Amino acid sequence: MSRYLRLALVQTPAESLERFAEGLRRRMKSPNAADLVVYPELHLCSEGVEGLSVDEYYAAHAEPLDGPRGRALSALARELGIWLIPGTVLERAEEGRVHNTAVVYDPRGELVARYRKVFTWRPYEPVVPGRGFVVFDMPGTGRIGLSICYDSWYPEVTRHLAWMGAELVVNLVQTPTSGRAQEIPVNQANAIVNQIWVASVNGAGPTAQGQSLLIDPEGHIQVAAVGMEDTTLLSVVDFDRVPAARKYGTCGDSWPWDHFTPGDTPLELPLYNGRIDPATWRPATSPETPVALRLATSAETPASWRPANPAAPRRHSREGDAS
Protein backbone atom coordinates (compact mmCIF):
# COMPACT_ATOMS: atom_id res chain seq x y z
CA MET A 1 0.00 0.00 0.00
CA SER A 2 1.46 3.37 -1.04
CA ARG A 3 2.01 6.03 1.60
CA TYR A 4 1.19 9.45 0.21
CA LEU A 5 0.92 12.77 2.04
CA ARG A 6 -0.71 15.85 0.56
CA LEU A 7 1.50 18.62 1.98
CA ALA A 8 0.97 22.41 1.97
CA LEU A 9 3.90 24.70 2.75
CA VAL A 10 2.55 28.17 3.48
CA GLN A 11 5.06 30.92 2.67
CA THR A 12 3.37 34.04 3.97
CA PRO A 13 4.25 37.12 6.06
CA ALA A 14 3.87 37.06 9.83
CA GLU A 15 0.30 37.61 10.95
CA SER A 16 -1.97 37.73 13.96
CA LEU A 17 -3.77 34.65 15.23
CA GLU A 18 -7.06 35.99 13.88
CA ARG A 19 -5.71 36.55 10.36
CA PHE A 20 -3.95 33.20 10.51
CA ALA A 21 -7.24 31.43 11.28
CA GLU A 22 -9.02 33.23 8.44
CA GLY A 23 -6.27 32.38 5.97
CA LEU A 24 -6.08 28.74 7.03
CA ARG A 25 -9.84 28.28 6.64
CA ARG A 26 -9.68 29.91 3.22
CA ARG A 27 -6.84 27.64 2.09
CA MET A 28 -8.70 24.55 3.23
CA LYS A 29 -11.65 25.50 0.98
CA SER A 30 -9.38 25.89 -2.07
CA PRO A 31 -7.17 23.67 -4.24
CA ASN A 32 -4.48 24.28 -1.58
CA ALA A 33 -6.27 22.01 0.91
CA ALA A 34 -3.89 19.42 2.36
CA ASP A 35 -3.52 16.69 4.99
CA LEU A 36 -0.57 18.46 6.67
CA VAL A 37 -0.29 22.25 6.60
CA VAL A 38 2.97 23.91 7.63
CA TYR A 39 3.78 27.56 8.42
CA PRO A 40 7.14 29.32 9.04
CA GLU A 41 9.12 29.79 12.24
CA LEU A 42 7.63 32.27 14.77
CA HIS A 43 4.86 32.98 12.30
CA LEU A 44 2.43 34.05 15.02
CA CYS A 45 5.09 35.86 17.06
CA SER A 46 6.71 38.21 14.54
CA GLU A 47 4.10 40.79 13.60
CA GLY A 48 4.61 44.32 14.95
CA VAL A 49 7.63 43.51 17.09
CA GLU A 50 9.97 46.17 15.73
CA GLY A 51 11.40 48.32 18.50
CA LEU A 52 10.35 46.02 21.34
CA SER A 53 12.83 45.03 24.01
CA VAL A 54 13.27 41.32 24.70
CA ASP A 55 11.14 41.60 27.84
CA GLU A 56 8.39 43.43 25.93
CA TYR A 57 8.52 40.87 23.13
CA TYR A 58 8.21 37.98 25.56
CA ALA A 59 5.39 39.73 27.43
CA ALA A 60 3.48 40.10 24.17
CA HIS A 61 3.99 36.62 22.71
CA ALA A 62 5.33 34.04 25.20
CA GLU A 63 2.66 31.65 26.55
CA PRO A 64 2.51 28.14 27.97
CA LEU A 65 1.62 25.63 25.25
CA ASP A 66 -1.77 25.04 26.88
CA GLY A 67 -2.53 28.77 27.00
CA PRO A 68 -5.12 30.69 24.91
CA ARG A 69 -3.06 30.51 21.70
CA GLY A 70 -2.52 26.77 22.08
CA ARG A 71 -6.22 26.15 22.69
CA ALA A 72 -7.11 28.20 19.60
CA LEU A 73 -4.65 26.26 17.42
CA SER A 74 -5.99 22.97 18.75
CA ALA A 75 -9.54 24.03 17.94
CA LEU A 76 -8.55 25.03 14.39
CA ALA A 77 -6.91 21.68 13.65
CA ARG A 78 -9.98 19.87 15.01
CA GLU A 79 -12.42 22.11 13.11
CA LEU A 80 -10.64 21.56 9.79
CA GLY A 81 -9.68 17.93 10.42
CA ILE A 82 -6.02 18.45 9.48
CA TRP A 83 -2.53 17.90 10.78
CA LEU A 84 -1.25 21.37 11.58
CA ILE A 85 2.23 22.75 12.20
CA PRO A 86 1.51 26.48 12.72
CA GLY A 87 5.21 27.32 12.64
CA THR A 88 6.93 27.79 15.97
CA VAL A 89 5.73 29.73 19.00
CA LEU A 90 7.35 31.37 21.98
CA GLU A 91 6.77 28.84 24.76
CA ARG A 92 6.88 30.12 28.34
CA ALA A 93 8.02 27.10 30.29
CA GLU A 94 9.05 26.33 33.84
CA GLU A 95 10.48 29.17 35.94
CA GLY A 96 9.68 31.66 33.20
CA ARG A 97 12.14 30.26 30.67
CA VAL A 98 11.22 30.97 27.04
CA HIS A 99 11.82 28.53 24.17
CA ASN A 100 11.35 28.74 20.41
CA THR A 101 9.09 25.70 20.07
CA ALA A 102 7.59 23.87 17.10
CA VAL A 103 4.15 22.40 17.83
CA VAL A 104 2.14 19.76 15.97
CA TYR A 105 -1.62 19.19 16.23
CA ASP A 106 -3.44 16.16 14.85
CA PRO A 107 -6.94 16.19 13.25
CA ARG A 108 -8.51 15.69 16.69
CA GLY A 109 -6.82 18.84 17.93
CA GLU A 110 -4.39 16.98 20.19
CA LEU A 111 -0.91 18.39 20.66
CA VAL A 112 1.07 15.32 19.58
CA ALA A 113 4.59 16.79 19.41
CA ARG A 114 6.62 19.76 20.51
CA TYR A 115 10.26 20.49 19.76
CA ARG A 116 12.37 23.20 21.37
CA LYS A 117 14.95 24.65 19.00
CA VAL A 118 18.40 23.36 19.93
CA PHE A 119 20.66 25.54 17.78
CA THR A 120 19.30 29.01 18.42
CA TRP A 121 20.73 31.80 16.27
CA ARG A 122 23.13 33.23 18.83
CA PRO A 123 23.70 36.00 19.77
CA TYR A 124 20.58 37.36 18.06
CA GLU A 125 18.06 34.85 19.43
CA PRO A 126 18.03 34.99 23.23
CA VAL A 127 15.64 32.09 23.91
CA VAL A 128 16.73 29.07 25.94
CA PRO A 129 17.92 26.18 23.69
CA GLY A 130 16.22 22.80 23.84
CA ARG A 131 18.06 19.57 24.56
CA GLY A 132 16.40 16.83 22.52
CA PHE A 133 15.39 15.62 19.06
CA VAL A 134 11.74 14.92 18.21
CA VAL A 135 9.89 12.82 15.64
CA PHE A 136 6.20 11.99 15.43
CA ASP A 137 4.13 9.43 13.54
CA MET A 138 1.27 10.00 11.11
CA PRO A 139 -0.40 6.57 11.38
CA GLY A 140 -0.47 4.71 8.08
CA THR A 141 1.64 7.38 6.41
CA GLY A 142 5.11 7.96 7.86
CA ARG A 143 7.35 9.41 10.54
CA ILE A 144 8.25 13.12 10.53
CA GLY A 145 11.09 14.93 12.27
CA LEU A 146 11.16 18.55 13.38
CA SER A 147 13.95 21.10 13.02
CA ILE A 148 13.96 24.86 13.23
CA CYS A 149 15.89 27.23 10.97
CA TYR A 150 19.56 27.28 12.13
CA ASP A 151 19.27 23.63 13.18
CA SER A 152 19.69 22.75 9.51
CA TRP A 153 23.26 24.08 9.58
CA TYR A 154 24.22 21.36 12.07
CA PRO A 155 24.22 17.99 10.28
CA GLU A 156 23.95 16.19 13.62
CA VAL A 157 20.31 17.32 13.96
CA THR A 158 19.02 15.92 10.68
CA ARG A 159 21.20 12.81 11.03
CA HIS A 160 19.68 12.07 14.45
CA LEU A 161 16.15 12.61 13.14
CA ALA A 162 16.80 10.23 10.24
CA TRP A 163 18.35 7.72 12.65
CA MET A 164 15.20 7.97 14.78
CA GLY A 165 13.20 6.97 11.70
CA ALA A 166 12.13 10.32 10.22
CA GLU A 167 11.31 9.96 6.52
CA LEU A 168 10.45 13.66 6.18
CA VAL A 169 12.13 16.45 8.13
CA VAL A 170 10.20 19.70 8.36
CA ASN A 171 12.54 22.66 8.82
CA LEU A 172 10.63 25.76 9.98
CA VAL A 173 12.42 28.98 8.99
CA GLN A 174 12.18 32.74 9.47
CA THR A 175 15.26 34.01 7.62
CA PRO A 176 15.13 37.69 6.62
CA THR A 177 18.84 37.82 5.72
CA SER A 178 21.06 36.83 2.80
CA GLY A 179 21.77 33.56 4.65
CA ARG A 180 18.78 32.04 2.87
CA ALA A 181 21.05 31.48 -0.13
CA GLN A 182 23.12 29.02 1.91
CA GLU A 183 20.14 27.36 3.60
CA ILE A 184 18.88 25.99 0.29
CA PRO A 185 21.93 23.81 -0.56
CA VAL A 186 22.31 22.92 3.13
CA ASN A 187 18.78 21.46 3.12
CA GLN A 188 19.48 19.65 -0.16
CA ALA A 189 22.60 18.13 1.40
CA ASN A 190 20.64 17.02 4.47
CA ALA A 191 18.13 15.26 2.19
CA ILE A 192 20.84 13.59 0.10
CA VAL A 193 23.12 12.28 2.86
CA ASN A 194 20.19 10.95 4.92
CA GLN A 195 18.02 9.77 1.98
CA ILE A 196 14.92 11.52 3.32
CA TRP A 197 12.43 14.19 2.27
CA VAL A 198 13.17 17.70 3.57
CA ALA A 199 10.67 20.59 3.59
CA SER A 200 12.08 24.03 4.40
CA VAL A 201 9.36 26.63 4.96
CA ASN A 202 10.41 30.29 5.18
CA GLY A 203 8.29 33.40 5.65
CA ALA A 204 7.34 35.71 2.78
CA GLY A 205 8.37 39.33 2.42
CA PRO A 206 8.58 41.67 4.16
CA THR A 207 8.98 39.28 7.12
CA ALA A 208 11.55 37.01 5.49
CA GLN A 209 13.33 36.07 2.26
CA GLY A 210 11.01 33.26 1.15
CA GLN A 211 12.39 30.63 -1.25
CA SER A 212 10.61 27.77 0.53
CA LEU A 213 11.08 24.33 -1.02
CA LEU A 214 10.47 20.59 -0.81
CA ILE A 215 13.35 18.22 -1.57
CA ASP A 216 13.09 14.50 -2.30
CA PRO A 217 15.31 11.72 -0.85
CA GLU A 218 17.74 12.01 -3.76
CA GLY A 219 18.15 15.77 -3.47
CA HIS A 220 15.86 16.87 -6.30
CA ILE A 221 13.71 19.95 -5.68
CA GLN A 222 10.07 18.89 -6.05
CA VAL A 223 8.49 22.31 -5.64
CA ALA A 224 9.91 25.73 -4.72
CA ALA A 225 8.95 29.37 -4.33
CA VAL A 226 10.75 31.63 -6.79
CA GLY A 227 11.34 34.40 -4.28
CA MET A 228 9.71 36.29 -1.40
CA GLU A 229 6.15 36.08 -2.72
CA ASP A 230 3.15 35.18 -0.56
CA THR A 231 2.32 31.70 -1.81
CA THR A 232 1.26 28.21 -0.83
CA LEU A 233 3.33 25.35 -2.19
CA LEU A 234 1.31 22.17 -2.61
CA SER A 235 2.90 18.81 -3.29
CA VAL A 236 2.48 15.10 -2.63
CA VAL A 237 5.13 13.34 -0.56
CA ASP A 238 5.60 9.66 -1.43
CA PHE A 239 7.11 8.17 1.73
CA ASP A 240 7.91 4.93 -0.07
CA ARG A 241 10.63 6.74 -2.00
CA VAL A 242 12.71 6.70 1.20
CA PRO A 243 13.07 2.88 1.43
CA ALA A 244 13.39 2.78 -2.37
CA ALA A 245 16.37 5.16 -2.31
CA ARG A 246 17.97 3.15 0.47
CA LYS A 247 17.40 -0.17 -1.29
CA TYR A 248 18.40 0.82 -4.82
CA GLY A 249 20.78 3.66 -3.96
CA THR A 250 20.64 7.42 -4.46
CA CYS A 251 20.58 7.79 -8.24
CA GLY A 252 21.31 4.07 -8.25
CA ASP A 253 24.83 4.23 -6.84
CA SER A 254 25.05 5.38 -3.18
CA TRP A 255 23.97 3.51 -0.03
CA PRO A 256 25.17 5.59 2.96
CA TRP A 257 23.07 3.74 5.55
CA ASP A 258 24.42 0.39 4.38
CA HIS A 259 28.10 1.25 4.69
CA PHE A 260 28.79 -0.64 7.91
CA THR A 261 28.68 -4.42 8.12
CA PRO A 262 28.39 -6.70 11.19
CA GLY A 263 32.11 -7.46 11.07
CA ASP A 264 33.19 -3.82 11.28
CA THR A 265 34.63 -2.48 14.51
CA PRO A 266 33.21 0.77 15.97
CA LEU A 267 34.52 4.02 14.50
CA GLU A 268 35.72 6.40 17.19
CA LEU A 269 34.39 9.98 17.00
CA PRO A 270 36.71 12.10 19.17
CA LEU A 271 34.73 15.27 18.44
CA TYR A 272 31.74 13.80 20.33
CA ASN A 273 33.64 11.64 22.79
CA GLY A 274 31.66 8.81 21.20
CA ARG A 275 31.58 6.39 18.29
CA ILE A 276 29.62 4.94 15.40
CA ASP A 277 28.65 1.40 16.31
CA PRO A 278 27.77 -0.67 13.20
CA ALA A 279 25.17 -2.53 15.27
CA THR A 280 23.14 0.67 15.84
CA TRP A 281 23.92 2.67 12.69
CA ARG A 282 20.77 2.07 10.64
CA PRO A 283 17.61 4.21 11.00
CA ALA A 284 14.98 3.07 13.48
CA THR A 285 12.53 2.10 10.73
CA SER A 286 14.95 -0.08 8.74
CA PRO A 287 14.02 -3.78 8.58
CA GLU A 288 17.58 -4.62 9.65
CA THR A 289 17.34 -2.55 12.84
CA PRO A 290 16.87 -4.59 16.02
CA VAL A 291 13.35 -4.33 17.40
CA ALA A 292 14.67 -2.90 20.67
CA LEU A 293 15.98 0.16 18.80
CA ARG A 294 12.85 1.01 16.83
CA LEU A 295 11.31 3.41 19.38
CA ALA A 296 7.99 1.63 19.11
CA THR A 297 7.05 1.47 22.79
CA SER A 298 5.53 4.09 25.03
CA ALA A 299 8.55 3.85 27.33
CA GLU A 300 10.31 6.42 25.15
CA THR A 301 7.47 8.89 25.57
CA PRO A 302 7.33 10.96 28.80
CA ALA A 303 4.09 10.25 30.64
CA SER A 304 2.95 13.87 30.36
CA TRP A 305 3.13 13.62 26.55
CA ARG A 306 1.28 10.35 26.05
CA PRO A 307 -2.11 10.85 24.35
CA ALA A 308 -5.13 9.81 26.39
CA ASN A 309 -6.22 7.66 23.44
CA PRO A 310 -3.77 4.74 23.20
CA ALA A 311 -4.35 4.59 19.44
CA ALA A 312 -3.16 8.17 19.03
CA PRO A 313 0.16 8.96 17.34
CA ARG A 314 3.11 9.07 19.73
CA ARG A 315 5.89 11.58 20.18
CA HIS A 316 9.33 9.99 20.35
CA SER A 317 12.46 11.52 21.84
CA ARG A 318 15.59 9.46 22.11
CA GLU A 319 17.57 12.22 23.81
CA GLY A 320 14.87 13.54 26.13
CA ASP A 321 13.92 17.21 26.11
CA ALA A 322 15.21 18.86 29.25
CA SER A 323 13.35 21.91 30.41
Side-chain angles (χ1 to χ4, degrees), residues 26-91:
R26 184 171 61 252
R27 285 179 176 88
M28 294 307 295
K29 292 179 181 178
S30 77
N32 288 322
D35 302 312
L36 172 61
V37 184
V38 185
Y39 283 78
E41 178 185 21
L42 293 175
H43 179 66
L44 298 172
C45 303
S46 298
E47 187 181 53
V49 300
E50 296 80 5
L52 296 182
S53 68
V54 171
D55 288 342
E56 290 170 333
Y57 178 44
Y58 288 175
H61 292 287
E63 295 182 12
L65 295 186
D66 58 357
R69 179 180 57 215
R71 292 194 294 272
L73 293 171
S74 169
L76 267 173
R78 183 170 58 251
E79 171 193 333
L80 298 171
I82 60 173
W83 289 81
L84 176 63
I85 303 179
T88 71
V89 296
L90 286 180
E91 175 196 2

Side-chain angles (χ1 to χ4, degrees), residues 3-4 15 20 101 103 116 118 127 150 165 174 196 208 273 282 295 300 302 308 317:
R3 298 178 297 136
Y4 297 117
E15 56 191 347
F20 166 82
T101 302
V103 289
R116 293 168 175 171
V118 171
V127 295
Y150 203 38
Q174 193 69 268
I196 57 172
N273 193 27
R282 297 176 190 273
L295 298 173
E300 270 78 19
S317 176

Side-chain angles (χ1 to χ4, degrees), residues 68-281:
R69 179 180 57 215
R71 292 194 294 272
L73 293 171
S74 169
L76 267 173
R78 183 170 58 251
E79 171 193 333
L80 298 171
I82 60 173
W83 289 81
L84 176 63
I85 303 179
T88 71
V89 296
L90 286 180
E91 175 196 2
R92 189 174 294 279
E94 299 82 1
E95 299 176 359
R97 286 175 289 193
V98 176
H99 300 273
N100 183 353
T101 302
V103 289
V104 182
Y105 297 89
D106 73 7
R108 297 166 299 183
E110 292 191 34
L111 178 61
V112 295
R114 65 103 167 90
Y115 164 67
R116 293 168 175 171
K117 186 175 183 179
V118 171
F119 289 99
T120 57
W121 192 39
R122 290 172 167 171
Y124 304 105
E125 189 177 356
V127 295
V128 178
R131 283 294 178 264
F133 307 113
V134 175
V135 301
F136 68 95
D137 291 328
M138 293 184 67
T141 302
R143 183 171 290 181
I144 298 174
L146 300 172
S147 77
I148 302 172
C149 204
Y150 203 38
D151 283 331
S152 68
W153 288 69
Y154 295 83
E156 298 83 357
V157 174
T158 311
R159 176 69 84 197
H160 265 83
L161 294 173
W163 178 67
M164 293 168 71
E167 298 163 289
L168 164 66
V169 167
V170 175
N171 180 235
L172 309 170
V173 185
Q174 193 69 268
T175 298
T177 66
S178 59
R180 185 60 182 165
Q182 286 73 47
E183 289 174 352
I184 293 171
V186 163
N187 275 286
Q188 283 184 279
N190 284 332
I192 292 168
V193 300
N194 293 295
Q195 296 177 305
I196 57 172
W197 290 87
V198 173
S200 180
V201 191
N202 196 15
T207 307
Q209 290 286 325
Q211 297 178 280
S212 301
L213 71 166
L214 174 67
I215 307 156
D216 76 12
E218 295 181 292
H220 305 119
I221 296 176
Q222 295 296 292
V223 63
V226 175
M228 300 167 59
E229 67 272 19
D230 187 339
T231 187
T232 300
L233 302 178
L234 186 70
S235 191
V236 175
V237 173
D238 181 356
F239 280 89
D240 288 330
R241 290 188 60 189
V242 173
R246 292 172 180 173
K247 178 178 180 179
Y248 298 107
T250 297
C251 296
D253 70 2
S254 297
W255 296 265
W257 288 109
D258 284 339
H259 175 78
F260 294 98
T261 64
D264 289 337
T265 57
L267 173 65
E268 300 300 324
L269 300 176
L271 172 62
Y272 303 109
N273 193 27
R275 60 174 56 184
I276 292 177
D277 185 342
T280 61
W281 169 246

